[in-house]
Amino acid sequence: MSNIREVARLAGVSVATVSRTLKSPERVLPETRDKVNAAVEQAGYRPNLMAVQFRSRRTGNLVILVPAIANTFFARVISGAQQAAQAAGYRLLLCDTQGRAQIEREFAALVYAHQADGVIQLRASDPFESMPTGAESLPLVNACEVVKGAPYPTISLDNRAAAQAMTEHLIGLGHRRIGIIKGPRSSPLTLDRVAGYQDALRQAGIAVDPSLICHGDFTLKAGDDGAGAMLELADRPSALFCENDEMAIGALRRIKQMGLRVPEDISLVGFDDIPFAAYCDPPLTTISQPAETFGQKAVEMLIALIEKKPIAERHVVLPFGLTVRGSTAPRARQ
Amino acid sequence: MSNIREVARLAGVSVATVSRTLKSPERVLPETRDKVNAAVEQAGYRPNLMAVQFRSRRTGNLVILVPAIANTFFARVISGAQQAAQAAGYRLLLCDTQGRAQIEREFAALVYAHQADGVIQLRASDPFESMPTGAESLPLVNACEVVKGAPYPTISLDNRAAAQAMTEHLIGLGHRRIGIIKGPRSSPLTLDRVAGYQDALRQAGIAVDPSLICHGDFTLKAGDDGAGAMLELADRPSALFCENDEMAIGALRRIKQMGLRVPEDISLVGFDDIPFAAYCDPPLTTISQPAETFGQKAVEMLIALIEKKPIAERHVVLPFGLTVRGSTAPRARQ
DNA sequence: GTGAAAGCGCTAACAA
DNA sequence: TTGTTAGCGCTTTCAC
């Protein structure tokens, strides 16, 4: 592989002229440009990005920390982020952290080590924590699940309002015993959703029953297990609210296995509106989120941060939608 | 952020000694080492990876080109790859190419530009094609959907045998009219699966009926549409073979919408065994693949290539499994 | 065991 | 408009 000197020699110009021709052609005479371009062609020259970035102290790489790439919702977020990055001339370094802080730190360190220009974190946790001094001011954007009162920009959903709207939908159908399968204890997002669920219950004058709140981890199996536990209760709920669609789909299987029907015997709802939600039997009532927009906004804000451009709104809240399908129905007369 | 000179000054040694302490501590006196380490600590020093890699001409980055990250099967492949990379001290740069050669080329160029050490391609296409001279010898491994007779290492499944086994399973249940929803024309993988399907039919003395072969693109919607078309045939099939689980799940919805039952009226099978397959109603009979192993093997082979270690087997074929669940049953008497 | 010095490939200030 | 030159931060001989 040839280098810039080789090209300069072939074109009969200085290395500076080659560099200029590549970076700002308008500052070079057309005929010089042509000579250089011909030489580049002839030498099969590709600039060594390593050297370019080393010198210009800008990599064009953005790290995005994803708790679980296999999660259909995050896949959509990534897709939006990738498109925005591409449009702005940046590349996305995707990292499946499996929610582990150690892996997050390792990848966030790429910024500290000048291997990436900034980080997008999709989990409520600061990946620069416990980094050497100065790290707190590195370009970081937090999206999806965000840290409350974070010093860095955030893009979030009003999870509390969304959960409340969903619970109100169920209450409106006559349900009064509504179970909820929530996420892991460590997730602030799940706290918000439970809070919204409780808001709706209280406003309807329904007592919050702790036995109707069950922990899960956003997987199919967690929904399956959670539904199993919930339906064995003596006074079982007539509606079940799962904090994501995966768990709802898991719950759906268990409900059917136990010989109950959705929505006749029990209403079931999810959260996220993943593609499979519309293909369940019955199709799932759920909260839809503009997943791609999360990724897109996060990238745009991060780039603004990196390029030190002003940011209009540091804490963006995206709208949710209540998508009613066939998995909810009025409570059956007992 | 401090640099190596700052640390050298603090420790009262030369930059060379600092570098050595970090790279090969055993070549430095313990007391010198301690001085240096203290200075590193004090300065909050982090080596500039950009400079390290520029100098040592090795990045520790592996590019993995994924046609669609949202695809549940690829998500598992990535997971396996990530684990193997981590274990070997490499990082994975994930790229969602949306099957577009332009994006693939752009990311593959990272290798050419010394930004990554090698590439894993999960699609049957050479991302280095039309690159400047010398590109053909760059470290590349092709997994999942592979190029026939490729000059680079490959990891694949015997798709033909798998499709044949699946078709034989259906024939064994008494089905004789078996429809197939295949992938896009450009995919060699789909050709193999159709060939396997035809092998099984021929061996059973069943004529191949072109009207029972339908094109799709591996999405839920494609399965939905494909099943719709297939079931409107005058002499409709009693079994439907979808080339992936997503399409099977799409087909399942349409079959039910048309008032038919699975498996009583029509047997339905998929391919891949994604997590959702076991959670369908009925659970899906499908071909299981060791998805994580694809990723793991690909990374291991790529690293061997990069580090110029010998590779035992250049074309690995992984085993498949026939997972029979509730979506297949003996053909009903008409 | 340690230091001095050269230079990886490129960019950017400055000079011409 | 183009060339000269001085590094970017680090690794790696080669002396000592």
Side-chain angles (χ1 to χ4, degrees):
Chain A
M1 284 184 215
S2 50
N3 61 23
I4 200 170
R5 269 195 297 280
E6 164 87 353
V7 175
R9 197 182 52 72
L10 277 169
V13 299
S14 73
V15 292
T17 299
V18 176
S19 177
R20 263 193 295 263
T21 307
L22 266 34
K23 288 282 172 297
S24 34
E26 72 282 358
R27 300 175 49 78
V28 168
L29 276 187
E31 52 179 316
T32 315
R33 204 153 54 200
D34 291 345
K35 275 195 300 185
V36 171
N37 287 331
V40 164
E41 194 73 16
Q42 193 192 330
Y45 171 67
R46 292 263 143 158
N48 181 334
L49 266 196
M50 224 64 225
V52 172
Q53 297 172 359
F54 168 46
R55 201 38 250 243
S56 50
R57 344 205 81 226
R58 179 221 180 251
T59 68
N61 293 337
L62 308 178
V63 169
I64 181 165
L65 303 173
V66 189
I69 290 179
N71 181 300
T72 321
F73 172 71
F74 285 128
R76 287 179 59 203
V77 176
I78 292 165
S79 167
Q82 178 125 323
Q83 271 171 291
Q86 192 131 28
Y90 281 77
R91 273 176 305 277
L92 218 54
L93 307 190
L94 229 57
C95 168
D96 188 343
T97 64
Q98 298 147 59
R100 280 162 52 194
Q102 175 54 31
I103 301 181
E104 287 175 352
R105 249 179 273 126
E106 218 163 278
F107 271 78
L110 291 182
V111 175
Y112 212 89
H114 304 273
Q115 174 96 274
D117 299 338
V119 174
I120 294 170
Q121 164 69 298
L122 302 184
R123 199 173 73 102
S125 150
D126 182 352
F128 288 128
E129 233 174 36
S130 79
M131 286 255 170
T133 344
E136 56 282 348
S137 64
L138 294 178
L140 171 67
V141 170
N142 186 198
C144 294
E145 189 185 87
V146 305
V147 173
K148 291 277 159 68
Y152 30 79
T154 60
I155 300 122
S156 57
L157 196 84
D158 189 342
N159 280 292
R160 186 163 182 163
Q164 184 176 346
M166 180 56 97
T167 311
E168 282 167 356
H169 165 66
L170 293 170
I171 293 172
L173 289 169
H175 297 281
R176 303 198 47 93
R177 282 191 68 70
I178 302 172
I180 183 165
I181 304 183
K182 63 191 289 293
R185 266 163 253 272
S186 58
S187 154
L189 171 156
T190 204
L191 293 181
D192 283 347
R193 293 188 187 165
V194 169
Y197 156 82
Q198 293 178 334
D199 289 347
L201 291 182
R202 276 199 213 89
Q203 280 182 24
I206 302 172
V208 172
D209 179 349
S211 72
L212 291 180
I213 301 180
C214 161
H215 283 272
D217 63 358
F218 294 135
T219 61
L220 289 162
K221 183 164 187 313
D224 193 339
D225 294 344
M230 206 75 91
L231 297 184
E232 273 172 6
L233 293 176
D235 187 8
R236 69 158 198 258
S238 68
L240 191 51
F241 179 6
C242 298
E243 282 194 9
N244 76 342
D245 289 346
E246 262 93 347
M247 292 200 293
I249 292 172
L252 180 58
R253 185 177 79 167
R254 177 63 71 102
I255 294 169
K256 289 178 177 177
Q257 273 177 357
M258 295 178 83
L260 296 170
R261 293 160 307 163
V262 174
E264 292 83 355
D265 299 315
I266 184 161
S267 284
L268 178 69
V269 301
F271 205 111
D272 289 347
D273 197 14
I274 65 174
F276 288 105
Y279 282 83
C280 293
D281 179 21
L284 198 62
T285 292
T286 188
I287 295 286
S288 55
Q289 300 192 54
E292 288 83 2
T293 311
F294 276 100
Q296 181 206 320
K297 285 265 181 220
V299 164
E300 287 169 3
M301 287 170 86
L302 183 58
I303 292 176
L305 225 54
I306 291 167
E307 298 178 352
K308 302 196 190 305
K309 289 183 190 149
I311 295 175
E313 216 182 339
R314 279 181 72 84
H315 298 287
V316 176
V317 176
L318 297 180
F320 61 86
L322 175 61
T323 301
V324 178
R325 298 206 180 92
S327 69
T328 45
R331 184 169 67 114
R333 296 260 153 265
Q334 302 284 345
Chain B
M1 283 182 217
S2 49
N3 60 23
I4 199 170
R5 268 194 298 280
E6 164 87 354
V7 175
R9 196 181 53 70
L10 277 170
V13 299
S14 72
V15 293
T17 300
V18 176
S19 178
R20 264 192 294 262
T21 307
L22 266 33
K23 289 286 173 294
S24 34
E26 72 284 358
R27 302 176 47 78
V28 168
L29 276 187
E31 51 178 316
T32 315
R33 203 153 54 201
D34 292 345
K35 275 195 298 184
V36 171
N37 286 331
V40 165
E41 194 73 15
Q42 192 192 331
Y45 171 68
R46 293 260 141 159
N48 181 334
L49 266 196
M50 222 65 227
V52 173
Q53 296 173 1
F54 168 46
R55 212 24 259 250
S56 48
R57 347 204 78 219
R58 179 224 180 247
T59 68
N61 293 337
L62 307 179
V63 170
I64 181 164
L65 302 173
V66 188
I69 289 179
N71 181 300
T72 320
F73 172 71
F74 286 129
R76 285 179 60 203
V77 176
I78 293 165
S79 167
Q82 177 124 327
Q83 271 171 288
Q86 191 131 28
Y90 281 77
R91 274 176 304 277
L92 218 54
L93 307 191
L94 229 58
C95 168
D96 188 344
T97 63
Q98 298 146 59
R100 282 162 52 193
Q102 174 54 31
I103 300 182
E104 286 174 352
R105 248 178 275 126
E106 217 163 280
F107 271 79
L110 291 182
V111 175
Y112 213 90
H114 304 273
Q115 174 95 276
D117 299 337
V119 175
I120 294 170
Q121 165 68 298
L122 302 184
R123 199 173 73 102
S125 152
D126 182 352
F128 288 128
E129 231 175 36
S130 81
M131 287 256 170
T133 344
E136 56 282 348
S137 64
L138 294 178
L140 172 67
V141 170
N142 186 198
C144 296
E145 189 186 86
V146 305
V147 173
K148 290 276 159 66
Y152 30 79
T154 60
I155 299 122
S156 57
L157 196 84
D158 189 342
N159 281 290
R160 186 164 183 163
Q164 182 176 348
M166 181 55 97
T167 311
E168 281 167 357
H169 165 65
L170 293 170
I171 294 171
L173 289 168
H175 298 280
R176 304 199 47 93
R177 282 191 67 72
I178 302 172
I180 184 165
I181 303 183
K182 63 191 287 295
R185 265 164 254 271
S186 57
S187 154
L189 170 155
T190 205
L191 294 180
D192 283 346
R193 293 188 187 166
V194 169
Y197 156 82
Q198 294 177 334
D199 289 347
L201 291 182
R202 275 200 214 89
Q203 280 182 23
I206 303 171
V208 172
D209 179 348
S211 73
L212 291 180
I213 300 180
C214 163
H215 282 273
D217 62 359
F218 293 135
T219 62
L220 288 161
K221 183 165 187 313
D224 192 340
D225 294 346
M230 206 75 90
L231 297 185
E232 272 170 9
L233 293 176
D235 188 9
R236 69 157 198 257
S238 67
L240 190 52
F241 179 6
C242 298
E243 282 194 8
N244 76 343
D245 290 344
E246 263 93 348
M247 293 200 293
I249 291 173
L252 180 58
R253 186 177 78 166
R254 177 64 71 102
I255 294 170
K256 289 179 176 177
Q257 272 176 358
M258 295 178 81
L260 295 170
R261 292 161 308 162
V262 174
E264 293 83 355
D265 298 314
I266 182 162
S267 283
L268 177 69
V269 302
F271 205 112
D272 288 348
D273 197 14
I274 65 174
F276 289 104
Y279 282 84
C280 293
D281 179 20
L284 198 62
T285 292
T286 187
I287 295 286
S288 55
Q289 299 193 54
E292 288 83 3
T293 311
F294 276 100
Q296 183 207 318
K297 285 263 181 224
V299 164
E300 287 169 3
M301 286 170 86
L302 184 57
I303 291 176
L305 225 53
I306 291 167
E307 298 178 352
K308 302 195 189 308
K309 289 183 189 149
I311 294 175
E313 216 182 339
R314 280 182 72 85
H315 298 285
V316 174
V317 176
L318 297 180
F320 61 86
L322 174 60
T323 300
V324 177
R325 298 206 181 92
S327 69
T328 44
R331 182 169 69 116
R333 296 259 152 264
Q334 303 284 344

